[in-house]
Amino acid sequence: MSKTNQPKEGFKFFESNNFSEDQVKDRSAEFFHEMNSRRSIREFSPREIPEGVLENIVKTASTAPSGAHKQPWFFALITSPEMKKKVREAAEKEEYENYHGRMSDDWLKDLEKFDTNWQKPFLEIAPALIVVFKETYEETESGKAKNYYVNESVGIAAGMLIAAIHHAGLVTLTHTPSPLNFLAELLNRPKNEKPFLLLPVGFPADKTQVPVLKRKNFIQIAKYY
Ligand code: IYR
C-alpha cells in the first residue's frame, strides 16, 4: 500500500455507507415519516421497559457531536419507586409555584391547549425518568478543564435521545419543572453538573390523548439561498 493510502497520524478513513441516490431519497422520506409520528406524551403505562433499552437509547444520545468531543453530559436513570416519588414531590412543588404566579398570563394562555397543570403523576407512573445533566466544566486530576458549547452539545444529545426513544417504540415528555436544581440535590450530583431536562420514558397509557397540533410547513421553517 502506498503512503497516500495511509491515514494521517491519529486518523482513520471514514467508512461511508455508500447508499445510492434512490436509497438516500427513500431513507430521508422514511425517517421523516417515522419522526413525524412522535408526540409528547403525558400519560404513561406502568409497563416495564425491556432490559437493555435504556442503555441503548442513552448510548445513542452519547453519539451526539459535542464541542471538542468533550461529551459534556450525564444521564441519571431513575427507576426506583422511592426516588421517582421524591422527584414527583419536588417537581410538583416547583410546578405549583410556576402555575400560581411564576408563569406570565401570556405563558399560561399559550399552555391552555395542552391542558396541563402543576400535578405530575406521570413522574411516578412512568417506569423510568431520565435526567439529562450538562457538565458545565470537566473535573480532572489537574483541576477544572473547560467544556465548549455545552448547551448546544447537550441540546443535540437530548434531541438524539428523544429520537432514540421514539425509534424504540417508547414515548417521552420533554419536561422542565423549573428551576430544576432540586434534581442535582436529590441525586447528589457533583458541582460541575447542572440539570438540563427531565424525561419520563415508557409506553403510553391506553387511550391517552394528545392535542391536535399542526407543525409549521416547509416554507415557514426554511428557505433556499
Ligand atoms: N413546566 C410546566 C409548564 C409547561 C411549560 C411549557 I414551555 C410547556 O410546553 C408545557 C408545560 C409543565 O410541565 O406543566
Side-chain angles (χ1 to χ4, degrees), residues 42 95 99 103 107 111 116-117 120 175-177:
R42 293 179 167 78
E95 292 289 33
Y99 280 88
M103 294 194 293
W107 192 347
L111 294 186
T116 57
N117 62 46
K120 306 295 169 193
H175 188 35
T176 51

Side-chain angles (χ1 to χ4, degrees), residues 74 76 78 80-94 123 129 131 133 177 179-190 193 195 198:
F74 178 80
I78 305 175
S80 88
E82 298 78 29
M83 186 55 84
K84 285 195 285 180
K85 187 167 194 277
K86 284 185 190 168
V87 170
R88 177 186 177 178
E89 283 169 359
E92 286 186 335
K93 219 161 137 190
E94 295 297 351
L123 292 175
L129 309 177
V131 186
F133 285 87
L180 282 162
N181 258 345
F182 68 90
L183 291 165
E185 285 159 32
L186 273 179
L187 299 164
N188 204 15
R189 298 307 308 162
E193 291 180 12
L198 169 56

